[in-house]
Amino acid sequence: MLKIGKYNSLRVSRNVDFGAYLEDEEGNEVLLPARYIVSPLQPGDDMEVFVYKDSEDRPVATTERPFAEVGEFAYLQVTAVNNVGAFLDWGLIAKELLVPYREQKMKLSRGMVVLVYVYLDDATKRVVASAKIDKFVGNRFPRYRLGEKVEALVYKRTELGYKAIVDNLFHGMIYENELYAPLEIGKRIPAYVKQIRDDGKIDLVLSGGHDGRVDALMEKIVERLKAQPECFLPISDSASPETIRATFQCSKKDFKKAIGHLYRERKIMITDGGIRLNLEA
């Protein structure tokens, strides 16, 4: 069955003058317009496409990648407003995303960037968006292991820290006192489950693994070394806490743990003058 508002793995069934028809395992066909075909397609070829409905309510396939698919949250810009609702730039040339007036928390106007949830409307079977995000988050209790890696969409700063949407499903919180640098609103970041509260909301940290804090820092150090001339950084565990914080936005304690693990894993070499990537590892 074709999944509207989602990516579909389909097979080319036949070519026509205006494109190619693709089909799913049940034989349901959808048109891929010619403007999306950059090289000849042969019947039997497999490809991944995004499927949506056009203005005449027909399923259409595209090789473009929208900013969000059904079941996801995203920050999108309002491009137009009419008597039906607000239209958002969805990342597709031929299709914008509608936010009906009933799904707006406040009146939207052109140029605004708004956090929305993308879903398939039960009545019309069309993909629409809602700015009333709370009704789509936290509708079931999370079942994560402590320390499990998740994706967090940062969407609001509070006195305690940053609110986030976890895996497009749950409420999360990243506390200010556990951060070494501000977070960017609208950014998707990897995070780790620190605690699941009785109300189903999740406390998050930005690093996990060995002691709940250093895995992400280890990865950051390695990537930073790869970008340096001769894969060397003139910073070691003898550097001042201020220097370490300015360089890696972490505490000296976490930095020492991270380079200790990297050294034991033979990923870096530690010298008097700094740390060097072990290219033979």
Side-chain angles (χ1 to χ4, degrees):
M1 182 176 180
L2 294 174
K3 296 175 289 185
I4 305 298
K6 292 274 193 178
Y7 293 100
N8 290 248
S9 294
L10 304 177
R11 180 162 295 175
V12 177
S13 60
R14 56 195 171 98
N15 289 302
V16 292
D17 292 340
F18 44 87
Y21 279 96
L22 314 178
E23 64 178 6
D24 62 14
E25 293 180 352
E26 298 175 359
N28 300 304
E29 286 191 327
V30 61
L31 174 67
L32 176 67
R35 64 176 174 269
Y36 301 124
I37 301 174
V38 296
S39 59
L41 296 176
Q42 301 298 325
D45 288 349
D46 292 322
M47 60 188 310
E48 183 182 67
V49 293
F50 184 79
V51 178
Y52 65 94
K53 285 192 173 182
D54 65 11
S55 58
E56 298 182 18
D57 221 26
R58 299 170 303 189
V60 180
T62 176
T63 54
E64 295 178 299
R65 301 188 71 83
F67 297 134
E69 62 178 319
V70 164
E72 293 183 343
F73 293 85
Y75 277 91
L76 302 178
Q77 186 170 35
V78 180
T79 57
V81 177
N82 64 16
N83 61 338
V84 178
F87 291 87
L88 309 176
D89 179 4
W90 196 14
L92 302 179
I93 293 176
K95 183 70 174 180
E96 293 180 311
L97 191 59
L98 172 67
V99 185
Y101 279 111
R102 68 178 183 276
E103 295 297 333
Q104 298 179 24
K105 291 178 65 175
M106 57 181 289
K107 187 175 181 180
L108 300 179
S109 58
R110 185 176 179 180
M112 292 178 65
V113 176
V114 59
L115 176 63
V116 295
Y117 179 76
V118 182
Y119 69 100
L120 191 65
D121 182 72
D122 288 334
T124 65
K125 301 303 179 184
R126 289 188 176 187
V127 182
V128 293
S130 174
K132 297 181 178 180
I133 64 171
D134 285 341
K135 67 180 184 179
F136 299 101
V137 188
N139 293 321
R140 55 191 176 93
F141 197 83
R143 301 294 179 185
Y144 292 108
R145 302 183 307 276
L146 298 186
E148 187 168 346
K149 188 175 182 179
V150 298
E151 180 185 74
L153 172 62
V154 181
Y155 75 92
K156 186 177 182 180
R157 187 171 187 175
T158 71
E159 292 182 355
L160 293 176
Y162 293 85
K163 289 186 175 182
I165 298 171
V166 179
D167 288 343
N168 293 295
L169 290 170
F170 308 110
H171 290 286
M173 173 64 75
I174 305 166
Y175 290 95
E176 187 82 43
N177 62 2
E178 295 182 325
L179 294 172
Y180 293 96
L183 299 179
E184 181 181 343
I185 301 297
K187 187 173 183 181
R188 294 183 184 274
I189 59 174
Y192 299 85
V193 176
K194 179 182 179 181
Q195 174 182 279
I196 298 176
R197 288 184 264 160
D198 292 340
D199 61 2
K201 295 180 179 179
I202 305 170
D203 292 340
L204 302 168
V205 291
L206 297 191
S207 56
H210 300 288
D211 63 356
R213 297 187 66 88
V214 300
D215 268 3
L217 179 56
M218 290 167 60
E219 183 177 342
K220 187 175 185 179
I221 291 170
V222 170
E223 291 304 312
R224 186 72 173 270
L225 284 169
K226 288 179 180 178
Q228 301 303 308
E230 299 183 358
C231 298
F232 176 80
L233 271 174
I235 182 172
S236 66
D237 58 5
S238 62
S240 69
E242 293 75 21
T243 299
I244 292 171
R245 181 166 303 196
T247 306
F248 290 107
Q249 294 78 50
C250 70
S251 68
K252 182 169 182 175
K253 179 180 178 181
D254 285 350
F255 179 74
K256 291 177 71 173
K257 286 182 179 179
I259 65 172
H261 285 299
L262 289 171
Y263 177 75
R264 286 191 290 275
E265 292 173 7
R266 298 177 55 81
K267 292 182 179 179
I268 65 169
M269 296 177 285
I270 301 176
T271 69
D272 291 338
I275 55 177
R276 187 185 305 277
L277 194 65
N278 185 3
L279 299 177
E280 297 179 358

